[in-house]
């Protein structure tokens, strides 16, 4: 075993959080947190640089005994499916620190500690190769996220934090039972790779599929278990929203890719029409809800439900284009929606209103802000040349291959997306200021620019030249599909 | 009994003898100790427990049956005795300042705790219905008195009275079951009882006896439908005694339950389903009623009912893993529950009671360190990883699924999601409300040490459960 790079990736933020405990002074805390996230990002870039895109195997693997009596190990590793999310998590965490620089003005130390702990746990989820370890990371995230929403959130934060906590907890606990059943069915091991290699009876797969589905669907979130999301998003501070939209929602989809598809292939194939229908429902329903919103943050939150519908649609299309597009779209959604929440946060800091009706003519007073907002809005709409276009096209092509109706629903969702996003942008940025708009808005400063620019770079980079990103994903997706089709058909 | 057998018996019960002798000596010494020297009693009591602990560990090597099959010193008993020592010593540490504030400082307080400890130790080692009875009564008689120790407080008197009356009824039920067993099989020894009742179908009279014995025992751990005394007694008793009772006597009750329930007579009988129903009902009642409590001690009482329910799920699972899961659960529960009670106890200062949940509003702002500790204990009680509470629940669930009780496991986790709600509600009060009144916590070095120690256990067992898991697995009955 060489240098334990992934352990460094996962535990650098945790170590940073420990250091923060001993610091005094808000600025020292902010700069240290920033330094820690940058260091972690550096580790992630080193990981990406060393990542072998031609191999489907888990890379940078580490494994140690943890609870040998129950076959639990501390095992980390990444493949093409997880490596992008590890990077995305590190990137967005860094942006979160910048986004909370002035937005969080009380209990700064506690906030940054929560943020860094959260980052460590999220990275752990994407790196874990042991189901028990995965579950520990997955469930422990509830603690810092609950605090981030509940302590630093808006006026309705208590209700939102509660709802978030209980929804995800109830979902995850059933997942836990599923994990334990899988442990006994799969020969008393929590090793994800060993469990993937097993073939379980269809009956068992079916039950497990639904146990897992509840947990993952809450996290994604899929309609009808999505109702915690708008509350949580609206009440959370900007950094919390970025993390929720950028990383947390990805975990449900990641769960499908890591567990449901490879471990329960027969059930996945059998129930894929159901999943496609739920995805199509989420796309259209989320779009319609977004169309009806006046609150900026709610609009972005509901659009997330619609966009995550595209992701699950791609995944359960169960063909190469679909899954490839789904994974890319997860990354894109993290970048684009993360940025949109950042923008909502920036404007909220300046005006203390999120009602779209209160804005108008922002282009005149804050041209740089508006220009970047336009870029991310167009990206969210999947305009050609932006990142989401590539992802959405792949998902649609996969979706149409799998099921015509689901594909058609997705196209309808894309149209709805154009409607609410263009409407939002028009009302906020164009025209003349509304009657109630009498704010003095200053344009973005250098610190805010530092948070925006990297996201903008990814929007255009993936939009114009997606090949390096697809290269990372492709081999693993092919391997995953081969597993699903080899073991999944014949029921 | 020959001399050699007597010597062996005394050797096997040496820890109990140490504790009882120590308690007697302290009872006399206590009369001569002046008011300002009472810390001496605390340290002397701790010393007695430590000597007993050393004796226990030295005897842990082999199984020693004693007193003609009424008593046994085995690894199972050793494990439980260690839990009792832990609970007792930490209660001593928490008591000194609290007793001072409440004005209940007297030497009998420590002596009674030591006698209760010896009763619990006898319960863990008892292999005969009669020796179980002796241990049980020794323990509960002491806790009756300790519950009513705040003589000037009506609540305390009322709790003690209620406890005595209901406790006597449950003892009567238990004894009735014992007499039935004796009448039908001619023995009260657990092993002989099992052998006598091995025929199929089991004698209906024996089944009746089993039901009575079960009823008497689950009263002590506060399982539904014998839980009614628990919230009132927990609320009325001095908080230190509540902390002690929620951990020590409860673990002792489970020690007996494991010994008796996992006896072949029970495992083979149709009443086994009762245990599963008990577990579900206990957990459901504890979790749902806790939702509406405003008094922290009452809330913790219902939470302890819910936790007893979860531990009974481990009894239902049975088998080596089931037994080990209950044992590990109780060990972990001792750490986190003594921790959370430690925080309640140190809130009691001057005219501040610390009993209303509202009292904790904004604790995160006024005392961030304490708030963080409470956060840790509460999330552990709720069973969120990486705390020890998660691993405790996890292992019970593993044992349940191993035996094929998947539906029960699902019920257990759904009910623990309900339970999570009220723990999280307290976290909310601590972290998300503005502070109300200013108060100074009664933090003596001993209380600090207790809180630090329980916190270390709560997080340490969660991160490195392996050693403790193996300890529990090695200490399983007959293992």
């Amino acid at each position: 075993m060489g240098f334990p790079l992934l352990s460094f990736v996962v535990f650098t933020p945790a170590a940073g959080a420990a250091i923060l405990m001993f610091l005094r002074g808000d600025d020292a805390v902010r700069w240290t947190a920033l330094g820690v996230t940058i260091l972690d990002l550096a580790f992630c870039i080193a990981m990406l640089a060393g990542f072998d895109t031609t191999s489907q195997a888990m890379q940078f693997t580490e494994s140690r005994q943890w609870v040998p009596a129950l076959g639990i190990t501390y095992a980390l590793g990444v493949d093409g499916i997880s490596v992008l999310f590890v990077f995305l998590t590190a990137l967005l965490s860094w942006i979160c620190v910048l986004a909370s620089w002035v937005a969080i003005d009380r209990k700064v130390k506690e906030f940054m500690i929560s943020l860094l702990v959260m980052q460590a746990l999220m990275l752990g989820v994407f790196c874990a190769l042991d189901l028990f370890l995965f579950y520990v990371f997955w469930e422990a995230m509830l603690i810092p996220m609950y605090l981030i929403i509940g302590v630093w959130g808006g006026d309705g934060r208590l209700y939102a934090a509660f709802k978030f906590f209980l929804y995800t907890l109830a979902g995850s606990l059933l997942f836990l039972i599923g994990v334990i059943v899988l442990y006994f069915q799969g020969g008393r091991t929590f090793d994800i790779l060993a469990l993937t290699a097993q073939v379980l009876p269809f009956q068992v797969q079916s039950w497990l599929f639904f146990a897992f589905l509840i947990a993952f669907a809450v996290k994604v979130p899929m309609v009808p278990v999505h109702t915690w999301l708008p509350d949580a998003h609206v009440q959370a501070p900007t950094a919390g929203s970025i993390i929720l939209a950028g990383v947390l929602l990805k975990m449900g989809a990641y769960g499908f890719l890591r567990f449901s598809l490879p471990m329960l292939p027969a059930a996945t194939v059998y129930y894929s029409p159901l999943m496609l229908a739920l995805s199509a429902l989420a796309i259209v329903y989320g779009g319609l809800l977004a169309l009806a919103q006046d609150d900026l943050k709610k609009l972005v939150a509901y659009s997330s439900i619609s966009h995550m519908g595209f992701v699950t649609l791609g995944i359960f299309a169960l063909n190469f284009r679909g899954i490839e597009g789904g994974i890319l779209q997860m990354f894109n959604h993290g970048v684009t929606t993360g940025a949109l929440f950042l923008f909502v946060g920036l404007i909220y800091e300046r005006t203390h209103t999120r009602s779209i009706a209160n804005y108008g003519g922002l282009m005149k007073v804050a041209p740089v802000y508006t220009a970047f907002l336009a870029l991310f809005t167009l990206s969210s709409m999947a305009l050609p040349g932006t990142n989401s276009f590539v992802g959405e096209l792949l998902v649609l092509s996969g979706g149409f291959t799998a099921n015509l109706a689901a594909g058609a629903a997705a196209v309808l969702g894309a149209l709805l997306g154009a409607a609410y996003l263009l409407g939002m942008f028009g009302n906020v940025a164009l025209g003349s200021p509304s009657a109630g708009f009498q704010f003095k808005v200053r344009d973005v400063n250098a610190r805010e620019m530092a948070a925006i620019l990297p996201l903008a770079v990814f929007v255009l980079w993936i939009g114009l030249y997606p090949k390096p990103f697809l290269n990372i994903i492709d081999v693993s997706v092919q391997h995953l599909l081969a597993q699903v089709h080899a073991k999944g058909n014949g029921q | 009994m020959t001399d050699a057998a007597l010597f062996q018996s005394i050797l096997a019960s040496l820890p109990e003898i140490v504790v009882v002798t120590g308690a007697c000596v302290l009872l006399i010494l206590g009369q001569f100790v002046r008011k300002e020297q009472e810390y001496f009693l605390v340290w002397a009591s701790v010393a007695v427990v430590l000597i007993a602990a050393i004796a226990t560990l030295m005897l842990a090597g082999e199984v020693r049956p004693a007193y003609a099959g009424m008593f046994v010193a085995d690894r199972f008993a050793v494990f439980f005795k260690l839990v009792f020592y832990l609970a007792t010593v930490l209660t001593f540490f928490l008591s000194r300042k609290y007793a001072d504030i409440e004005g209940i400082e007297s030497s009998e307080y420590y002596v009674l705790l030591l006698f209760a400890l010896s009763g619990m130790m006898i319960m863990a080692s008892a292999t005969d219905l009669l020796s179980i009875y002796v241990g049980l009564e020794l323990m509960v008689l002491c806790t009756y008195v300790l519950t009513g120790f705040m003589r000037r407080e009506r609540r305390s008197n009322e709790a003690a009275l209620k406890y005595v009356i209901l406790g006597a009824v449950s003892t009567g039920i238990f004894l009735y079951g014992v007499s039935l067993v004796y009448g039908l099989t001619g023995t009260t020894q657990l092993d002989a009882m099992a052998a006598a009742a091995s025929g199929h179908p089991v004698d209906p009279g024996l089944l009746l006896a089993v039901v009575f014995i079960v009823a008497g025992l689950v009263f002590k751990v506060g399982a539904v439908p014998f839980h009614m005394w628990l919230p009132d007694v927990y609320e009325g008793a001095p908080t230190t005694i509540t902390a002690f009772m929620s951990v020590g006597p409860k673990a002792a009750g489970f020690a007996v339950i494991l010994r008796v329930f996992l006896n072949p007579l029970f495992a083979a009988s149709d009443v086994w389903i009762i245990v599963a129903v008990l577990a579900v009902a206990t957990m459901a009642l504890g979790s749902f009623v806790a939702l509406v409590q405003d008094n922290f001690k009452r809330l913790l009482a219902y939470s302890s009912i819910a936790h007893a329910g979860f531990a009974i799920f481990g009894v239902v699972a049975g088998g080596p893993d089931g037994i080990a899961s209950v044992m590990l659960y109780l060990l972990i529960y001792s750490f986190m529950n003594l921790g959370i009670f430690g925080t309640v106890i140190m809130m009691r200062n001057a005219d501040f009671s610390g009993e209303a949940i509202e009292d904790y509003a904004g604790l995160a702002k006024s005392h961030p360190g304490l708030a963080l500790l409470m956060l840790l204990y509460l999330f552990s009680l709720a069973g969120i990883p990486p705390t020890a509470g998660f691993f405790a629940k996890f292992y019970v669930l593993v044992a349940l699924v191993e035996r094929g009780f998947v539906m029960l496991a699902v019920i257990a986790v759904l009910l623990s999601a309900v339970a999570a709600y009220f723990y999280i509600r307290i976290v909310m009060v601590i972290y998300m409300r503005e502070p109300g009144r200013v108060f100074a916590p009664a933090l003596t070095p001993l209380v600090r040490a207790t809180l630090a120690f329980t916190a270390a256990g709560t997080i340490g067992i969660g991160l490195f459960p392996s050693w403790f898991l193996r300890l529990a697995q090695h200490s399983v009955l007959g293992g």
Side-chain angles (χ1 to χ4, degrees):
Chain A
M1 200 189 303
F3 181 68
L5 183 63
L6 287 183
S7 286
F8 272 90
V9 167
V10 172
F11 289 105
T12 300
I19 294 171
L20 284 192
M21 286 193 189
F22 301 102
L23 289 183
R24 285 172 197 280
D26 288 352
D27 272 331
V29 167
R30 290 187 180 113
W31 283 107
T32 312
L34 189 67
V36 169
T37 48
I38 288 175
L39 179 65
D40 202 42
L41 194 61
F43 280 127
C44 282
I45 290 170
M47 174 194 72
L48 275 182
F51 188 80
D52 177 7
T53 55
T54 57
S55 161
Q56 79 222 1
M58 290 290 169
Q59 304 182 23
F60 310 107
T61 49
E62 297 169 31
S63 182
R64 278 196 188 80
Q65 294 285 336
W66 187 11
V67 189
L70 293 176
I72 298 171
T73 52
Y74 167 80
L76 299 179
V78 284
D79 66 356
I81 295 173
S82 46
V83 72
L84 272 185
F85 300 111
V86 174
F87 174 70
L88 178 71
T89 308
L91 177 72
L92 288 179
S93 303
W94 168 51
I95 287 163
C96 280
V97 173
L98 287 175
S100 347
W101 204 269
V102 288
I104 302 297
D105 50 6
R106 59 194 175 89
K107 298 191 199 164
V108 177
K109 183 160 94 177
E110 286 84 350
F111 182 82
M112 291 299 176
I113 290 175
S114 307
L115 208 58
L116 289 179
V117 169
M118 187 75 197
Q119 184 189 354
L121 297 172
M122 292 189 299
L123 290 167
V125 164
F126 289 124
C127 293
L129 281 188
D130 181 281
L131 256 175
F132 183 86
L133 182 67
F134 175 88
Y135 188 83
V136 168
F137 283 130
W138 167 279
E139 191 81 337
M141 280 188 314
L142 286 177
I143 304 174
M145 200 62 213
Y146 174 71
L147 292 176
I148 288 176
I149 299 176
V151 178
W152 293 274
D155 294 333
R157 58 182 189 268
L158 299 185
Y159 174 73
F162 252 144
K163 200 166 170 183
F164 162 77
F165 195 96
L166 288 179
Y167 263 71
T168 21
L169 181 71
S172 326
L173 284 172
L174 287 176
F175 173 56
L176 178 62
I177 300 291
V179 166
I180 297 174
V181 171
L182 196 60
Y183 166 75
F184 284 110
Q185 295 285 342
R188 292 181 182 246
T189 176
F190 285 103
D191 181 351
I192 288 176
L193 295 179
L195 287 170
T196 308
Q198 306 267 345
V199 183
L200 300 173
F202 180 71
Q203 195 71 25
V204 178
Q205 287 195 24
S206 273
W207 284 112
L208 287 176
F209 185 82
F210 282 102
F212 287 13
L213 173 62
I214 293 171
F216 299 150
V218 169
K219 271 261 167 51
V220 169
M222 300 177 83
V223 177
V225 284
H226 65 285
T227 60
W228 63 269
L229 177 107
D231 286 308
H233 266 315
V234 171
Q235 298 304 335
T238 302
S241 297
I242 295 175
I243 285 189
L244 269 172
V247 185
L248 228 57
L249 303 192
K250 307 298 168 311
M251 294 189 170
Y254 177 73
F256 285 130
L257 289 168
R258 180 66 75 221
F259 305 114
S260 302
L261 262 60
M263 290 181 192
L264 318 167
T268 304
V269 171
Y270 186 81
Y271 293 110
S272 66
L274 170 75
M275 300 304 294
L276 288 176
L278 283 175
S279 308
L281 180 67
I283 294 174
V284 176
Y285 185 63
L288 286 173
L289 286 173
L291 203 53
Q293 302 304 321
D294 179 53
D295 184 308
L296 268 179
K297 236 179 171 179
K298 265 195 184 152
L299 185 140
V300 183
Y302 279 113
S303 83
S304 290
I305 296 174
S306 182
H307 285 139
M308 288 310 289
F310 275 98
V311 171
T312 49
L313 180 76
I315 291 172
F316 284 95
L318 295 182
N319 52 40
F320 181 69
R321 290 278 161 247
I323 297 183
E324 186 190 28
I327 296 173
L328 186 64
Q329 205 50 359
M330 279 158 74
F331 187 80
N332 290 337
H333 180 258
V335 170
T336 305
T337 308
L340 284 177
F341 275 119
L342 178 64
F343 274 79
V344 174
L346 292 182
I347 196 74
Y348 183 76
E349 278 170 38
R350 290 160 166 77
T351 63
H352 295 282
T353 174
R354 283 194 302 257
S355 170
I356 295 171
N358 284 343
Y359 292 109
L362 212 56
M363 187 166 261
K364 292 197 183 75
V365 282
V368 181
Y369 175 91
T370 327
F372 278 102
L373 179 64
L375 175 71
F376 290 112
T377 313
L378 293 177
S379 153
S380 187
M381 265 165 54
L383 201 80
T386 63
N387 55 350
S388 305
F389 173 73
V390 183
E392 215 163 277
L393 193 70
L394 288 168
V395 168
L396 283 176
S397 99
F400 271 113
T401 318
N403 185 313
L404 195 61
V411 173
L412 178 62
L415 273 177
L416 283 171
Y420 61 76
L421 287 163
L422 283 179
M424 182 273 286
F425 185 76
N427 287 332
V428 169
L430 306 178
S432 52
S434 70
F437 187 87
Q438 63 276 91
F439 314 107
K440 284 243 182 292
V441 180
R442 84 188 145 69
D443 215 333
V444 287
N445 60 25
R447 176 182 51 77
E448 289 159 351
M449 212 53 204
I452 297 167
L453 266 183
L455 296 173
V457 166
F458 276 104
V459 165
L460 293 173
W461 184 2
I462 303 176
L464 299 173
Y465 187 59
K467 196 159 173 294
F469 296 89
L470 294 176
N471 273 348
I472 293 177
I473 306 170
D474 278 352
V475 181
S476 295
V477 171
Q478 265 156 358
H479 177 63
L480 174 66
L481 266 179
Q483 282 177 316
V484 173
H485 288 306
K487 294 187 288 176
N489 296 328
Q491 281 296 331
Chain B
M1 198 183 264
T2 62
D3 285 352
L6 186 65
F7 175 73
Q8 279 305 318
S9 298
I10 289 173
L11 192 66
S13 60
L14 192 62
E16 283 81 358
I17 293 172
V18 168
V19 174
V20 172
T21 318
C24 291
V25 171
L26 281 179
L27 186 62
I28 296 164
L29 274 183
Q31 307 309 313
F32 303 104
V33 171
R34 282 198 306 277
K35 183 81 183 147
E36 58 271 24
Q37 288 176 328
E38 284 197 336
Y39 61 89
F40 163 76
L41 285 172
V42 181
W43 289 112
S45 313
V46 171
V48 168
V49 177
L50 286 183
I51 294 169
I54 292 167
T56 310
L57 287 175
M58 277 164 53
L59 295 170
E62 53 183 297
V63 179
R64 298 166 199 269
Y67 301 113
M70 293 191 79
F71 188 94
V72 67
D74 55 3
R75 284 205 295 265
F76 176 78
V78 168
F79 182 92
F80 273 98
K81 283 174 192 172
L82 292 178
V83 174
F84 303 152
Y85 298 148
L86 175 79
T88 314
V89 168
L90 292 185
T91 306
F92 288 144
F93 283 177
L94 289 172
S95 291
R96 175 75 181 86
K97 177 84 178 168
Y98 179 84
D100 211 21
I101 291 166
E102 289 287 0
I104 51 174
E105 186 83 8
S106 72
S107 59
E108 288 86 356
Y109 180 90
Y110 300 100
V111 172
L112 280 168
L113 275 172
L114 283 178
F115 276 122
L117 172 66
S118 64
M120 282 149 47
M121 291 160 70
I122 294 172
M123 282 168 80
S125 280
T127 51
D128 185 295
L129 288 172
L130 287 179
S131 49
I132 289 173
Y133 173 73
V134 169
L136 194 68
E137 279 306 289
L138 182 53
M139 175 190 83
V140 290
L141 279 172
C142 299
T143 49
Y144 294 155
V145 181
L146 286 167
T147 302
F149 222 73
M150 295 194 291
R151 273 165 304 178
R152 283 184 298 265
E153 273 212 38
R154 212 175 125 182
R155 219 168 40 153
S156 186
N157 291 326
E158 201 178 304
L161 190 64
K162 197 165 187 173
Y163 195 14
V164 170
I165 293 171
L166 290 174
V169 172
S170 92
T171 305
I173 293 173
F174 178 79
L175 276 183
Y176 190 57
V178 173
S179 63
L180 274 179
V181 167
Y182 184 69
L184 290 167
T185 65
T187 178
T188 53
Q189 284 195 0
L190 296 181
D191 291 345
M193 217 171 94
S198 56
H200 268 287
V202 179
D203 186 342
L206 261 183
L207 282 186
L208 189 68
V210 166
V211 170
F212 279 117
I213 292 174
V214 169
L217 287 177
V218 297
F219 176 90
K220 304 300 176 202
V221 298
V224 172
F226 306 101
H227 66 282
M228 275 80 123
W229 59 275
L230 199 135
D232 293 325
V233 172
Y234 273 32
E235 192 193 341
T239 314
T240 43
I241 298 306
T242 313
F244 175 73
M245 284 203 298
S246 72
V247 177
K250 179 166 274 184
F254 270 105
V256 173
I257 284 178
L258 287 174
R259 270 218 210 269
V260 174
F261 276 41
L262 297 167
N263 170 306
L265 165 67
F266 284 81
S269 68
D270 305 331
V271 290
W272 195 244
I273 186 77
I274 295 178
V275 186
V277 175
L278 267 181
V280 174
T282 305
M283 223 193 138
L285 182 122
S287 307
F288 280 107
V289 182
L291 292 179
V292 295
Q293 302 303 321
D294 294 322
N295 181 299
F296 204 166
K297 274 165 87 176
R298 273 187 98 78
L299 186 139
L300 286 175
Y302 282 106
S303 125
S304 103
I305 294 177
H307 278 281
F310 212 107
I312 297 175
F313 275 114
V315 180
V316 174
D321 270 329
I323 302 172
S325 76
V326 178
M327 294 163 70
L328 187 65
Y329 198 100
L330 292 167
L331 175 69
I332 290 173
Y333 182 71
S334 310
F335 276 102
M336 56 194 187
N337 217 44
L338 281 171
I340 194 83
F341 268 109
T343 61
V344 179
I345 288 164
M346 59 107 226
M347 294 287 281
R348 175 79 182 87
N349 205 1
D351 62 337
F352 204 83
S353 82
E355 283 189 24
I357 292 176
E358 279 303 311
D359 288 353
Y360 294 80
L363 188 71
K365 204 168 229 172
S366 48
H367 298 89
L370 287 175
L372 195 65
L373 280 180
M374 286 191 78
L375 182 82
L376 174 66
Y377 300 133
L378 287 168
F379 275 115
S380 185
L381 285 166
I384 310 287
T387 58
F390 166 70
F391 195 80
K393 289 195 170 167
F394 173 77
Y395 191 40
V396 171
L397 294 174
V398 166
L400 270 179
V401 174
E402 186 180 22
R403 299 295 294 264
F405 298 120
V406 179
M407 261 337 278
L408 281 181
V410 170
I411 293 173
V413 296
L414 289 182
L415 288 173
S416 56
V418 175
Y421 182 87
F422 56 79
Y423 298 120
I424 303 316
R425 193 166 64 112
I426 304 174
V427 174
M428 185 198 82
V429 170
I430 294 172
Y431 271 86
M432 300 161 199
R433 292 269 189 80
E434 289 306 308
R437 294 165 52 198
V438 194
F439 76 97
L443 273 175
T444 61
L446 280 183
V447 174
R448 274 178 208 276
T450 310
L451 289 177
F453 181 69
T454 48
T458 306
I459 194 78
I461 305 179
L463 291 177
F464 307 102
S466 193
W467 191 84
F468 298 91
L469 178 68
R470 249 183 305 144
L471 180 69
Q473 284 178 334
H474 282 277
S475 310
V476 171
L477 284 179

